[in-house]
Amino acid sequence: MMSDSNTFEPKIVAFVCNWCTYAGADLTGTSRLKYATNVKIVRFPCTGRIDFLFLLKSFAQGADAVIVSGCHPNDCHYTSGNFHARRRWIAFRAILDLMGIDVRRIQFSWVSAAEGAKWADLVNNTVSDIRALGPYTEYQKVAEYLEKEGFDGEA
Amino acid sequence: MEKLRERAAALLADGTVSLVIGFEEGTKRPRPFFCRTSDQASKLIFDSRCFHNLAVYVTKKELVGKEPFAVTAPIATLRSILQLYVENQLKEEQMLILTADPAGELFELRSFDEISAYVANFELKRGEREEEILHKIEGMTREERWQFWLNEMSQCFKCYACRSACPLCYCTKCVVEVNRPQWIHPWPAPLANMEWHINRAMHMVGRCTACGACGEACPVGIPIDLITRKMMEDLAPEFGYIPGLPARQGNALSSWRLDDREQFIR
Ligand code: SF4
Ligand code: SF4
């Protein structure tokens, strides 16, 4: 991704499941598809293991957006982890929206182990969406005191 | 009232129950009263001022033990009790419920099905206060909502009265006490307060019955009950539940449907 120093480069954290999206992202690499480097991938056993607090913690620590992705419905390695996760996301989005948190900054997706190109698109699209939205200073400001008071990444 | 006292005294005297959880006159308003002998039953009261949600006590093992007990419960409390049944926190044979119909006539309920059939007659409605504040919030932009809640949350000093008052917050170890790592800082601070409240709301999704006890308990008057209430109002129909009428099919977040909404998933 070419950029001059004036372009805002969003920081994005991706929470992905081991069986589908992580393997999918791997395929993106082995297929030598180029995509935005703004994303840091964190691997989980299952989308069902992705606690909503992880997402909040990412924002507090400076992420401008979060991607959450796992196996398509009916493809979960543990049968129903993604179905449980989907419900949780519906509820989580509703709560965040009520609290005034910008839900456009959380991108949910299903990316299978065979969808390397979809992963590249997902990241690229999210980066361009977030670039248009700008940094998520609104939330980061609420966490500012942590740094001032000398808390490390444990916050 | 006389009927309640007589009935409670009789239940305690013949050993049907060993405890009646009810109300007695307090300094300014009625307060919870744990009545253990028939002599004490004359202190019991039960009227419209008795709105504390006594369901918060029925899961406290150190209080109710293993013996049968009775509890006085208006509609809001009955809703909480239904939800506690759904979550397998109560035994039908251990609890007897004393309640009064809108005309003030005392009667008894003994099982999930009996309570459920009775509660089904009462639709869950917003009161004046709920309607006023929620209407205001519903009319706000996202940025305004953020400011509104930031402002409200800035008053929170983490006393956890909201948690203590909620009959459904019965975990003996709460996430805010998990300290390896310290998930949510225990002291009041902007981020820590926001995280605590989002966390509380998330843990209440599909479980809150809108009794209002948390908001009532908050010493600084943050309308936190409206967060969990609104989630219930909005999400219960989506997940196939009737708001305020917990059903045996289980909780919203412990079940799922193949056709759950997913247009937000790319
Ligand atoms: S209104 Fe508050 S106290 Fe009552 S069930 Fe909901 S979260 Fe708990
Ligand atoms: S009762 Fe009020 S002040 Fe206390 S922790 Fe709950 S919201 Fe904060």
Side-chain angles (χ1 to χ4, degrees):
Chain A
M1 183 84 15
M2 297 294 291
S3 69
D4 56 52
S5 54
N6 297 326
T7 338
F8 153 62
E9 287 300 340
K11 288 199 203 79
I12 298 174
V13 185
F15 296 93
V16 305
C17 89
N18 178 42
W19 304 99
C20 292
T21 305
Y22 193 84
D26 221 10
L27 181 65
T28 321
T30 47
S31 317
R32 299 193 177 275
L33 292 170
K34 285 199 166 51
Y35 68 102
T37 53
N38 306 53
V39 68
K40 294 182 176 53
I41 299 177
V42 193
R43 174 161 60 158
F44 284 81
C46 177
T47 39
R49 173 63 183 91
I50 302 171
D51 193 292
F52 62 90
L53 262 180
F54 299 149
L55 279 61
L56 289 180
K57 293 294 178 187
S58 313
F59 289 129
Q61 292 188 26
D64 301 300
V66 167
I67 292 174
V68 184
S69 179
C71 309
H72 286 263
N74 288 322
D75 281 352
C76 177
H77 187 77
Y78 310 98
T79 318
S80 61
N82 54 356
F83 288 124
H84 283 288
R86 183 170 63 185
R87 273 227 165 165
R88 202 181 308 143
W89 299 338
I90 295 173
F92 189 51
R93 286 181 92 244
I95 291 173
L96 293 189
D97 194 49
L98 175 64
M99 304 304 284
I101 289 171
D102 193 350
V103 290
R104 293 171 302 178
R105 293 175 184 274
I106 307 182
Q107 184 57 61
F108 296 98
S109 185
W110 309 128
V111 175
S112 81
E115 293 175 317
K118 183 175 179 188
W119 173 254
D121 285 347
L122 174 69
V123 174
N124 287 338
N125 290 337
T126 309
V127 169
S128 68
D129 288 354
I130 302 306
R131 205 172 264 141
L133 288 178
Y136 197 17
T137 34
E138 197 181 43
Y139 197 91
Q140 289 152 8
K141 260 199 277 186
V142 176
E144 231 167 34
Y145 70 95
L146 290 176
E147 213 170 315
K148 281 192 204 134
E149 292 172 17
F151 288 100
D152 56 16
E154 262 225 344
Chain B
M1 207 102 87
E2 243 353 278
K3 238 184 113 185
L4 168 73
R5 290 172 183 158
E6 275 167 28
R7 184 68 186 132
L11 287 168
L12 287 161
D14 69 13
T16 311
V17 300
S18 59
L19 166 71
V20 177
I21 306 176
F23 294 93
E24 67 176 342
E25 216 51 79
T27 321
K28 285 191 180 138
R29 53 182 187 180
R31 63 186 172 208
F33 175 46
F34 305 96
C35 180
R36 295 194 181 267
T37 65
S38 47
D39 297 345
Q40 293 173 330
S42 59
K43 288 212 260 174
L44 282 169
I45 57 168
F46 190 45
D47 57 33
S48 60
R49 298 169 306 144
C50 301
F51 55 78
H52 274 131
N53 195 335
L54 298 181
V56 72
Y57 298 114
V58 302
T59 50
K60 304 259 183 293
K61 296 280 174 288
E62 68 279 17
L63 183 73
V64 299
K66 289 197 164 74
E67 304 288 305
F69 64 93
V71 58
T72 56
I75 290 291
T77 311
L78 292 176
R79 291 197 167 101
S80 310
I81 288 173
L82 283 180
Q83 182 62 29
L84 286 170
Y85 275 127
V86 170
E87 298 177 17
N88 294 321
Q89 297 300 314
L90 296 173
K91 290 195 186 74
E92 289 190 331
E93 61 283 6
Q94 200 191 355
M95 193 168 62
L96 175 83
I97 290 157
L98 299 166
T99 188
D101 65 17
E105 197 58 45
L106 186 81
F107 66 101
E108 293 169 24
L109 296 165
R110 285 173 186 268
S111 67
F112 180 91
D113 294 334
E114 279 179 26
I115 305 170
S116 175
Y118 179 63
V119 172
N121 299 318
F122 301 87
E123 198 194 330
L124 185 83
K125 287 201 203 84
R126 288 182 183 177
E128 240 171 72
R129 165 189 166 270
E130 289 92 52
E131 183 52 43
E132 190 194 315
I133 306 176
L134 282 173
H135 185 76
K136 198 172 89 184
I137 297 172
E138 282 156 0
M140 290 179 187
T141 63
R142 182 191 67 74
E143 287 81 359
E144 285 167 348
R145 288 198 295 278
W146 177 245
Q147 280 314 319
F148 172 82
W149 287 116
L150 262 189
N151 193 32
E152 288 289 342
M153 297 316 174
S154 69
Q155 304 173 74
C156 171
F157 58 106
K158 295 281 188 77
C159 66
Y160 298 137
C162 45
R163 182 181 68 172
S164 307
C166 178
L168 298 164
C169 260
Y170 51 73
C171 296
T172 45
K173 184 152 189 178
C174 176
V175 65
V176 292
E177 270 103 39
V178 172
N179 54 11
R180 281 176 161 236
Q182 182 74 54
W183 270 105
I184 298 174
H185 285 146
W187 52 85
L191 180 72
N193 286 6
M194 210 29 116
E195 286 179 345
W196 155 236
H197 285 288
I198 294 175
N199 201 92
R200 203 184 78 88
M202 227 9 227
H203 287 188
M204 294 314 299
V205 163
R207 306 178 55 237
C208 173
T209 57
C211 69
C214 50
E216 187 68 41
C218 178
V220 288
I222 307 174
I224 43 169
D225 56 311
L226 301 184
I227 304 173
T228 48
R229 182 190 182 105
K230 176 134 175 70
M231 286 307 104
M232 191 263 265
E233 289 177 356
D234 292 355
L235 294 173
E238 163 150 13
F239 294 152
Y241 296 86
I242 301 168
L245 192 62
R248 285 218 201 257
Q249 73 210 74
N251 284 333
L253 290 199
S254 58
S255 53
W256 49 271
R257 277 191 318 226
L258 210 51
D259 59 348
D260 277 336
R261 170 164 59 107
E262 64 163 31
Q263 68 271 29
F264 64 92
I265 303 177
R266 222 176 221 170

